[in-house]
Amino acid sequence: MKTFLRNNGLSVCFFLLFVGAMGGQIIFGFEEYNKELMEQGASSVTLSSYFTTGHFIESTFENWESEFLQMGLLVVMTIFLQQKGSSESKDFDKEEEVDREPSAARKGAPGPVKKGGWILQFYKHSLTIVLFLLFVISFVAHFYGSLKDENEQLSLKGKPLETASQYIADSRFWFESFQNWQSEFLSIFAIIVLSIYLRQIGSSQSKPVDAPHRETGE
C-alpha cells in the first residue's frame, strides 16, 4: 500500500478531492433544489430522485464540459504555439522529447508503439482524442440536463415545454457554457503567464527558482 500511494499519490489525492467536492455538491445541491421546489409550492424529492433531475445533471456536466475543453485545447495548442519564458511551453531553441518519433525498440515502449500501424497512429493522438471525446459527451449531457431542468421549471409554472431544437438557441444554455469556458481559459492564461515570473520550488509546474525569466519550459 505504501508503494502504491508513493507511486500514485498525485492521482489519489486529486481523486479524493474530487469525491469530497462531489459529495459537497450533491448535499448542497439537493438542499437547494428542494428549497426551490418548496418555494414554488411543489413537493420535495428524495436524494435518489435528485440524481435524475435536470438540476443535478446540468450542474455536474456543465463544469466537466469546460474542464475537458480547456485541457484538450491546451494539449493541442502547445503543439504549435509557444510562450517565451513559460514553464507550460516547449523551448524555442531545442528539440523536445515529446516531438521525437516513437520507436518500438525503446525500452518499456507501450504496446501500441510495438504493434505499429493504425493502432500507433491512433495512440500518437490518443490524449487529444479522448479529451475532446469527453468534452463532447459532457456537452451533450449538459445540454440534456439543462433542457430537462428548464422544462421542469416550466412545468411547475404551467408553461409550454421546450423542444431540444428550440432550446439549443436558448440564451440560458449558452450562458451556462460560456460562464464556465471563460473561467477555464482565464486559469490557463494565468498559469502560462505567471509561470514566466513566479516560482514554486519542488513543483513540476514551475521552472527552477534560479532560472531566468526568459528560460522556456520546465
Side-chain angles (χ1 to χ4, degrees):
M1 179 58 73
K2 288 183 179 179
T3 301
F4 174 81
L5 291 176
R6 184 194 66 188
N7 292 342
N8 302 280
L10 192 59
S11 59
V12 169
C13 179
F14 272 95
F15 180 74
L16 292 176
L17 287 171
F18 162 73
V19 171
M22 192 72 198
Q25 177 192 325
I26 292 169
I27 292 169
F28 294 109
F30 175 60
E31 291 183 3
E32 181 65 19
Y33 183 66
N34 276 330
K35 184 170 69 175
E36 291 175 1
L37 289 177
M38 294 176 69
E39 287 174 352
Q40 298 182 63
S43 301
S44 60
V45 300
T46 63
L47 181 59
S48 59
S49 297
Y50 175 64
F51 291 123
T52 63
T53 64
H55 187 274
F56 172 75
I57 298 171
E58 175 269 317
S59 62
T60 299
F61 285 100
E62 73 169 279
N63 288 288
W64 293 12
E65 162 198 317
S66 60
E67 295 294 339
F68 291 127
L69 175 62
Q70 62 102 345
M71 287 190 290
L73 287 176
L74 180 62
V75 169
V76 170
M77 289 185 178
T78 52
I79 299 172
F80 309 104
L81 303 178
Q82 294 165 297
Q83 175 62 55
K84 189 69 176 178
S86 176
S87 65
E88 300 298 313
S89 171
K90 291 192 292 186
D91 196 292
F92 281 70
D93 305 314
K94 66 180 183 181
E95 290 289 325
E96 295 281 351
E97 285 284 285
V98 294
D99 291 322
R100 71 164 185 256
E101 282 299 311
S103 170
R106 186 176 180 84
K107 183 179 180 180
V113 177
K114 295 177 179 178
K115 289 187 177 182
W118 69 268
I119 295 177
L120 174 58
Q121 291 305 312
F122 175 85
Y123 189 66
K124 286 167 69 174
H125 305 283
S126 56
L127 180 59
T128 301
I129 292 170
V130 170
L131 285 173
F132 279 115
L133 179 60
L134 289 170
F135 162 69
V136 170
I137 292 171
S138 299
F139 183 87
V140 172
H142 167 211
F143 177 77
Y144 169 77
S146 187
L147 173 61
K148 188 172 185 179
D149 186 56
E150 177 72 6
N151 282 333
E152 288 168 355
Q153 297 298 319
L154 291 173
S155 179
L156 289 172
K157 297 173 183 177
K159 295 182 178 180
L161 305 185
E162 288 200 38
T163 64
S165 59
Q166 291 172 324
Y167 192 65
I168 193 64
D170 195 287
S171 59
R172 173 189 164 175
F173 171 69
W174 291 106
F175 169 70
E176 291 169 351
S177 290
F178 279 106
Q179 71 170 336
N180 283 281
W181 294 359
Q182 57 86 12
S183 66
E184 298 301 333
F185 297 152
L186 177 62
S187 67
I188 293 298
F189 170 79
I191 189 62
I192 289 172
V193 175
L194 293 178
S195 68
I196 299 173
Y197 306 104
L198 305 180
R199 309 286 188 269
Q200 176 56 58
I201 190 168
S203 175
S204 64
Q205 299 304 300
S206 170
K207 295 185 293 187
V209 176
D210 58 358
H213 290 327
R214 291 181 62 81
E215 183 175 304
T216 306
E218 296 176 6

